[in-house]
Amino acid sequence: MLFEVNKIRQDFPILKTQIYGKNLVYFDNAATTQKPQIVIDSCVNFYQTQNASTHSFHFLSNNLTNQIEEVRLKVKNFVNAKEVREIIFCKGATEGLNLLANGLENQLQKNDEVLITQMEHHANIIPWQILAKKTGAKLKYIKLKPTGELDLLDFEKKLNSRTKILAITHISNVLGLINPLKQIIKKARQNGTLVVVDGTQAAAHLKIDVQNLDVDFYVFSGHKMYAPTGIGVIFGKAKLLENLEIYQTGGEMVDEVDFETATFVDIPNRFEAGTQNFEAIIGFGKSIDYLQDLRQKFNQQIESYEQELLEYATNQMQKIPNLKIYGQNSNSNLSTKIPIISFLIQGIDSLDLAILLDLEGIALRSGSHCAQILLKEFTILPTCRISLTFYNTKEEIDRFIYILTQSISKLQKFS
Ligand SMILES: Cc1ncc(COP(=O)(O)O)c(C=O)c1O
């Protein structure tokens, strides 16, 4: 079947929206993706016909419990985990990474080391900073090359017998660069280091195979892969999850509660305290169905189309004077990059630019993208970032380039 973007766009009602009377051009997919009708319908349908809480043993409740477990199975297959109990639902990647940093405290002693990279999102920095402070461990950062790529020599230099945890992003949310995870995990494994991967930017673009990666923990958010907000996933190898310290306590995760102590149920529910975001879990299941269906129907065409958008946008942007793109691989090879382009225009404030683009209906991100370490490392100012996906078009890129050029001229007149 041939991939036709205009047909796909019909699945996403918000793409027909006008902003200030202009057609919406949504280029902020790395922040959150839009939702297909099938996901929106499932949220409405949930409250109209299915709403209940789990484990109450009446019809609606039993039905919901079963549905939640069906979604867990879908997620297990989506990431190719070995067992269903290796899938924990959480609020999102941020909560998942906090849960892991908290739960791995028993793995660290004074002067042990936690290794992260300079390209991490704050969600994969601060939990480790706090853990290091609590345990007396040291937090080390793997450097980046001037291109923005991870410096693998620096990684090998910093990996040593004290490195107990490596926490690394699969794809940088600022640079769009895909890290060579397999190679990195292999080295960490040989060193006896636990590996936590932040897969938040990868889940919507790459096929995830946790067994093939041989990763210990893999975390991502549903809302960046067409699902509602408030749902995310922690994959963890069963043996490791069993030894993880508990994070939150309360209902649903206890076995027996006594006056002084309590015992807890087995994984995964042990890490799912309190009432879950049921509507989002069900919607997440639908988003996985949607993505799998697209991948099955169009096979490699989705990936190729996203690469085409990336190359087209990059080429057009490079023609604009004084525009610098951050995150280009050596040899300008775009095949290890997803369609995320962060850029600066010399002498122009990114927020001013974003405001002018917004007035024309173009939604992009400006700022430090929750990656202040990366910006500090390259001593760069807040950037603008466009992030594209399979429902974006070359016509939208053309409009963006046209408005961008006009906006630059306007701002240059004022400066
Ligand atoms: C690479 C990366 N990690 C973690 C997060 C945090 O995700 P969430 O806000 O969904 O928890 C983001 C969000 O932008 C991200 O891009």
Side-chain angles (χ1 to χ4, degrees):
M1 198 179 237
L2 193 66
F3 175 77
E4 289 177 68
V5 65
N6 287 329
K7 278 200 183 145
I8 296 292
R9 285 175 71 82
Q10 287 168 18
D11 295 339
F12 294 83
I14 202 169
L15 299 179
K16 297 189 195 95
T17 303
Q18 296 222 318
I19 306 287
Y20 308 117
K22 312 276 166 50
N23 288 340
L24 169 68
V25 173
Y26 189 76
F27 279 3
D28 197 16
N29 294 288
T32 197
T33 53
Q34 298 301 347
K35 319 304 171 200
Q37 191 68 51
I38 169 181
V39 170
I40 299 168
D41 287 347
S42 97
C43 294
V44 174
N45 187 45
F46 175 77
Y47 287 114
Q48 284 179 342
T49 66
Q50 298 169 304
N51 184 40
S53 188
T54 48
H55 305 127
S56 286
F57 302 105
H58 55 74
F59 179 85
L60 285 178
S61 174
N62 293 342
N63 188 35
L64 179 61
T65 308
N66 291 340
Q67 281 198 65
I68 301 285
E69 293 315 309
E70 274 170 30
V71 177
R72 202 186 299 277
L73 179 62
K74 273 182 198 171
V75 178
K76 174 222 169 241
N77 293 334
F78 185 72
V79 299
N80 192 31
K82 215 188 245 173
E83 300 177 53
V84 177
R85 65 196 188 109
E86 294 180 321
I87 303 300
I88 295 167
F89 291 126
C90 59
K91 232 168 47 184
T94 302
E95 187 177 55
L97 291 162
N98 275 279
L99 183 150
L100 290 175
N102 190 83
L104 290 169
E105 187 176 338
N106 57 7
Q107 301 292 317
L108 288 182
Q109 291 181 351
K110 198 163 185 271
N111 294 327
D112 280 343
E113 292 178 7
V114 176
L115 193 53
I116 66 174
T117 82
Q118 289 179 337
M119 65 165 76
E120 300 308 315
H121 186 282
H122 296 160
N124 200 27
I125 298 176
I126 303 163
W128 306 111
Q129 287 179 343
I130 292 172
L131 179 63
K133 273 204 190 109
K134 262 203 261 181
T135 56
K138 292 196 176 80
L139 185 62
K140 297 258 163 106
Y141 289 80
I142 306 168
K143 280 193 184 149
L144 308 183
K145 294 201 245 179
T147 52
E149 292 161 287
L150 206 59
D151 183 339
L152 294 177
L153 290 178
D154 191 54
F155 162 59
E156 287 184 31
K157 219 165 67 190
K158 290 190 171 136
L159 188 72
N160 64 57
S161 58
R162 291 182 303 278
T163 317
K164 294 296 182 305
I165 299 168
L166 167 68
I168 181 172
T169 192
H170 199 158
I171 301 180
S172 158
N173 64 309
V174 181
L175 309 169
L177 299 175
I178 305 170
N179 283 324
L181 270 193
K182 207 151 177 207
Q183 188 184 338
I184 291 169
I185 292 172
K186 195 171 166 201
K187 287 256 154 64
R189 175 86 41 250
Q190 286 161 354
N191 195 57
T193 301
L194 284 173
V195 183
V196 175
V197 170
D198 174 1
T200 312
Q201 291 298 338
H205 296 279
L206 308 181
K207 203 166 178 314
I208 309 299
D209 186 335
V210 291
Q211 289 191 73
N212 184 263
L213 284 172
D214 193 19
V215 65
D216 296 311
F217 301 100
Y218 194 97
V219 174
F220 56 102
S221 294
H223 72 98
K224 296 194 201 259
M225 46 172 288
Y226 317 101
T229 44
I231 177 66
V233 168
I234 303 159
F235 155 81
K237 286 182 179 164
K239 245 198 190 131
L240 298 173
L241 287 178
E242 278 163 358
N243 287 320
L244 209 63
E245 286 180 41
I246 48 167
Y247 180 51
Q248 291 181 333
T249 56
E252 305 288 328
M253 56 79 72
V254 284
D255 185 18
E256 199 167 330
V257 181
D258 228 320
F259 287 95
E260 304 294 334
T261 55
T263 55
F264 309 117
V265 295
D266 203 354
I267 59 166
N269 303 98
R270 190 191 302 168
F271 294 104
E272 295 176 349
T275 304
Q276 298 294 294
N277 192 349
F278 303 130
E279 158 224 326
I281 296 176
I282 309 277
F284 185 37
K286 295 291 175 197
S287 81
I288 291 176
D289 289 345
Y290 183 80
L291 256 181
Q292 299 284 51
D293 187 47
L294 279 191
R295 285 175 181 170
Q296 213 169 6
K297 268 195 210 142
F298 302 114
N299 205 4
Q300 293 293 71
Q301 290 180 75
I302 304 272
E303 232 173 87
S304 312
Y305 180 69
E306 289 188 353
Q307 275 298 307
E308 226 178 284
L309 290 180
L310 172 63
E311 281 168 31
Y312 187 72
T314 305
N315 289 338
Q316 298 299 316
M317 289 168 78
Q318 277 171 336
K319 291 181 194 154
I320 297 177
N322 301 321
L323 185 149
K324 181 169 168 52
I325 293 175
Y326 290 90
Q328 276 175 299
N329 318 27
S330 9
N331 313 323
S332 294
N333 176 5
L334 296 180
S335 69
T336 50
K337 178 169 167 150
I338 61 162
I340 286 182
I341 308 175
S342 284
F343 63 98
L344 259 185
I345 290 140
Q346 206 187 338
I348 287 189
D349 183 273
S350 293
L351 182 58
D352 290 346
L353 195 57
I355 290 170
L356 290 190
L357 286 155
D358 178 50
L359 290 173
E360 296 294 328
I362 297 169
L364 50 67
R365 180 91 161 194
S366 69
S368 61
H369 317 292
C370 297
Q372 289 182 24
I373 300 290
L374 175 73
L375 267 66
K376 280 180 184 152
E377 176 60 16
F378 285 110
T379 48
I380 48 178
L381 297 164
T383 67
C384 282
R385 177 188 75 185
I386 62 167
S387 47
L388 315 177
T389 191
F390 56 74
Y391 51 59
N392 291 122
T393 66
K394 287 188 182 166
E395 289 73 29
E396 287 181 316
I397 295 172
D398 290 341
R399 177 159 168 74
F400 160 68
I401 297 287
Y402 175 71
I403 302 294
L404 179 63
T405 313
Q406 274 193 337
S407 306
I408 293 170
S409 300
K410 277 187 204 160
L411 290 168
Q412 277 169 341
K413 271 189 206 142
F414 286 112
S415 61

